Amino acid sequence: EGVDAGEYSRKLMAKTREHLLALKDPCPLMALERARELTQLLGSSTACIAVLHQGVLKTLNVGDSGFLVAKPRSKQAHAYDIIHRTKEQQHSFNMPFQLSYGPFSDKPSSGDSWEYKVTPGDVVLMATDGVWDNLFDEEVMEALSSAKGDMRVAAQIIANLSIKRGLALNVRTPFNERHNQLFNDEKRTAGKLDDVTCVVSEVVEEEYASQDGRREGGNKENGAPTKAKLSGDEMNDIGLIDSLRSAIMRTQ
């Protein structure tokens, strides 16, 4: 029988979420290590996890998915500057770090950990390699700006553009540039069609976050942070992001 390639990753993230919620001071590394031990299935997966706790964004990335954090330069113009961007983790070209059950897995501790004290207006954009292999960072930021503050629209634009680029036969992409630098005699021109998942989230204060990525009015109560209303599937995909308004776009 064949192996459901998504079953391992779904269970891995579900277990990671469980452990993040159980920890008073959530730690992505501890949660992912325990989740990997408990996910005893065939398959493998990269992992990109973020949790916002008491104003600090804690992240862990293993493999060639990744995220960036952008800070608004001008709210009126919806312009942003990238303040952090993960780097791909690969054993060699197009062979990313992978987590699996058994002795041949890469370790969560090999992942890239990062912490940052966020402020309202910061945007966290997480995506699979179906996005990062096909779009340059400046194109992602242009898409974010064009959405004019609507996180769902931003996710849709980025996902759709990634798919269009992946289907193109003659196009300039980050993946092609890396490939052609390594293999001068095997020039690649086509896009790299792949599964695409994109999560775009904005840090908010004193406002309740709607599930569709738009702001909703609300009153701050006892200084408690506002929590995003996310479905279970969305939480599984992004690990855990608290006090954010988020939108997700997934295609397969």
Side-chain angles (χ1 to χ4, degrees), residues 161-181:
L161 184 58
S162 299
I163 297 165
K164 182 179 180 181
R165 189 68 57 81
L167 290 167
L169 297 178
N170 192 352
V171 67
R172 176 175 171 260
T173 67
F175 184 85
N176 286 353
E177 287 200 348
R178 292 192 296 270
H179 176 278
N180 295 341
Q181 287 174 358

Side-chain angles (χ1 to χ4, degrees), residues 78-136:
H78 298 286
Y80 299 86
D81 292 316
I82 298 175
I83 59 173
H84 181 76
R85 165 77 154 83
T86 53
K87 294 181 179 179
E88 294 179 344
Q89 295 180 306
Q90 300 189 22
H91 296 287
S92 59
F93 178 70
N94 207 26
M95 295 185 64
F97 286 18
Q98 296 267 353
L99 301 174
S100 61
Y101 179 69
F104 302 109
S105 170
D106 287 304
K107 297 179 180 180
S109 59
S110 298
D112 179 19
S113 297
W114 184 70
E115 292 188 5
Y116 172 70
K117 189 170 180 61
V118 298
T119 57
D122 289 350
V123 171
V124 183
L125 193 156
M126 308 174 75
T128 57
D129 57 328
V131 173
W132 304 122
D133 282 344
N134 287 299
L135 300 183
F136 292 95

Side-chain angles (χ1 to χ4, degrees), residues 150-164:
D150 190 321
M151 299 300 105
R152 176 169 292 277
V153 170
Q156 289 173 335
I157 292 173
I158 293 166
N160 291 336
L161 184 58
S162 299
I163 297 165
K164 182 179 180 181

Side-chain angles (χ1 to χ4, degrees), residues 214-228:
R214 298 181 178 89
R215 290 178 182 257
E216 290 181 351
N219 296 321
K220 186 176 180 181
E221 297 180 6
N222 301 322
T226 301
K227 295 186 177 181

Side-chain angles (χ1 to χ4, degrees), residues 141-236:
M141 299 310 294
E142 287 175 6
L144 177 61
S145 296
S146 68
K148 298 182 178 179
D150 190 321
M151 299 300 105
R152 176 169 292 277
V153 170
Q156 289 173 335
I157 292 173
I158 293 166
N160 291 336
L161 184 58
S162 299
I163 297 165
K164 182 179 180 181
R165 189 68 57 81
L167 290 167
L169 297 178
N170 192 352
V171 67
R172 176 175 171 260
T173 67
F175 184 85
N176 286 353
E177 287 200 348
R178 292 192 296 270
H179 176 278
N180 295 341
Q181 287 174 358
L182 293 170
F183 309 103
N184 290 324
D185 57 340
E186 299 178 16
K187 293 296 183 181
R188 180 186 171 91
T189 61
K192 183 173 178 286
L193 187 62
D194 205 342
D195 292 348
V196 171
T197 298
C198 180
V199 182
V200 186
S201 308
E202 181 183 19
V203 179
V204 296
E205 185 179 38
E206 296 187 11
E207 291 172 301
Y208 293 99
S210 68
Q211 188 170 326
D212 67 359
R214 298 181 178 89
R215 290 178 182 257
E216 290 181 351
N219 296 321
K220 186 176 180 181
E221 297 180 6
N222 301 322
T226 301
K227 295 186 177 181
K229 300 175 182 176
L230 299 175
S231 70
D233 286 343
E234 289 172 337
M235 294 296 282
N236 290 346

